[in-house]
Amino acid sequence: MNSSTISGLSTDHSPVRGATIKSDRELEAMREAGRIVALAVRQMVRNLEPGVTTAELNHIGEGEIRKLGARPAFLGLYGFPATVCISLNEEIVHGIPGERIVEDGDLVSFDCGAIVNGMYSDHAVTAIAGKETKKKRALVETTKVSLDRAIQAAQPRNRVGDVSNAVESYVRPKGYELVREYVGHGIGHSLHEPPQVPNYGMAGRGHILMPGMVIAIEPMVNAGGWQTEVLKDKWTVVTADRSLSAHFEHTVAITEYGPEVLTAL
Ligand code: MG
Ligand code: MG
């Protein structure tokens, strides 16, 4: 995995190796890490309004994670300087919180992880601050529904391509594009484990999803083209054409009975 990114960078196209099967005890810790990050993200979304700074939102998220007894997963990871990636409008992922003031109508993506007993969770939500437009709401809803569809495809003995294709086949006919350079990933003892989980691909292809595997599924949907750029801060990823982008992510355990979303409340 690339060493300087919090969403997996899609560079490895070799067959998947090393996807781990989690023990019940490991899964239990991941459930708790997932619950805590979900509560932290909910708290930030509740406090999202025009006039708030992204640093204040990060502070709220970090406070919640620590209060609930977990550690922030992103803080210091690969050198990232905050607990939450907060990405606005044309920013896709890895936005650094700071003194920037959220404006009315901003599309705000929160991406955050927590660690409990050495086990990781990863979760992202996009919300609109203040006044919505139909266009922004449609982009957000499409991204959210594509994640729901991908989760439903994460059935035991399905393949990664079934998950990828569930996203792509829903999103692209609506005229949106999917980010290609950054992908979902296995998760557990570290934030990024095999396999990679792209948001595009062919059903029936790729690694088999076995009970005990845990994957982070994270569609990043652009209103314009799929191409991305990294800003001068070396972190913030934006759409190359500066079109709007939305991002949702859940950490999902594959079980004999189907997918179990660890980052839902
Ligand atoms: Mg992730
Ligand atoms: Mg994430």
Side-chain angles (χ1 to χ4, degrees), residues 6-7 74 110-113 122-124 185 191 216 218 247 249:
I6 280 178
S7 294
F74 293 2
F110 300 94
D111 188 359
C112 189
D122 195 359
H123 179 43
H185 47 92
L191 186 67
E218 50 178 317
H247 180 208
E249 176 176 27

Side-chain angles (χ1 to χ4, degrees), residues 190-225:
S190 56
L191 186 67
H192 296 132
E193 296 182 352
Q196 293 193 345
V197 183
N199 295 304
Y200 53 89
M202 291 171 71
R205 297 285 180 90
H207 198 66
I208 299 175
L209 299 172
M210 295 304 291
M213 284 175 62
V214 184
I215 55 175
I217 308 173
E218 50 178 317
M220 301 165 204
V221 178
N222 297 347

Side-chain angles (χ1 to χ4, degrees), residues 6-265:
I6 280 178
S7 294
L9 186 72
S10 176
T11 52
D12 181 1
H13 299 291
S14 58
V16 172
R17 304 166 297 256
T20 58
I21 302 299
K22 273 71 183 180
S23 68
D24 288 348
R25 212 172 146 170
E26 289 169 330
L27 277 176
E28 205 42 59
M30 293 186 80
R31 266 186 207 107
E32 182 62 3
R35 187 184 73 87
I36 289 171
V37 84
L39 287 166
V41 169
R42 183 167 77 180
Q43 203 57 27
M44 289 187 284
V45 171
R46 280 181 178 163
N47 282 276
L48 175 65
E49 57 181 5
V52 71
T53 68
T54 54
E56 286 165 343
L57 293 166
N58 176 76
H59 183 73
I60 290 165
E62 180 165 340
E64 197 71 8
I65 286 173
R66 293 194 189 280
K67 186 182 86 187
L68 295 168
R71 283 197 295 130
F74 293 2
L75 184 62
L77 185 72
Y78 313 125
F80 190 74
T83 290
V84 190
C85 296
I86 303 181
S87 310
L88 274 60
N89 302 321
E90 76 281 3
E91 297 173 358
I92 303 166
V93 286
H94 305 169
I96 302 172
E99 295 316 305
R100 181 168 178 181
I101 294 168
V102 173
E103 290 178 20
D104 198 22
D106 274 350
L107 208 58
V108 182
S109 299
F110 300 94
D111 188 359
C112 189
I115 309 171
V116 171
N117 290 340
M119 303 303 291
Y120 283 69
S121 63
D122 195 359
H123 179 43
V125 163
T126 298
I128 302 168
K131 195 172 178 299
E132 298 187 7
T133 62
K134 268 191 185 167
K135 263 190 175 171
K136 287 175 185 170
R137 176 49 52 193
L139 176 64
V140 168
E141 284 306 311
T142 297
T143 310
K144 192 166 190 277
V145 171
S146 76
L147 174 56
D148 293 340
R149 293 169 70 99
I151 292 166
Q152 280 317 306
Q155 301 292 337
R157 284 167 281 279
N158 270 5
R159 288 174 183 266
V160 168
D162 296 311
V163 174
S164 304
N165 190 259
V167 175
E168 184 177 14
S169 63
Y170 181 71
V171 167
R172 295 191 69 207
K174 294 183 184 301
Y176 299 119
E177 281 296 346
L178 287 152
V179 170
R180 300 181 192 178
E181 290 102 326
Y182 303 89
V183 296
H185 47 92
I187 179 169
H189 285 279
S190 56
L191 186 67
H192 296 132
E193 296 182 352
Q196 293 193 345
V197 183
N199 295 304
Y200 53 89
M202 291 171 71
R205 297 285 180 90
H207 198 66
I208 299 175
L209 299 172
M210 295 304 291
M213 284 175 62
V214 184
I215 55 175
I217 308 173
E218 50 178 317
M220 301 165 204
V221 178
N222 297 347
W226 59 268
Q227 294 88 346
T228 66
E229 276 176 26
V230 179
L231 296 184
K232 282 198 191 112
D233 64 17
K234 295 201 168 72
W235 278 106
T236 312
V237 180
V238 298
T239 52
D241 60 10
R242 303 302 190 265
S243 62
L244 294 172
S245 187
H247 180 208
F248 280 82
E249 176 176 27
H250 273 307
T251 298
V252 180
I254 313 303
T255 82
E256 278 297 349
Y257 312 101
E260 178 187 351
V261 181
L262 305 184
T263 40
L265 291 172

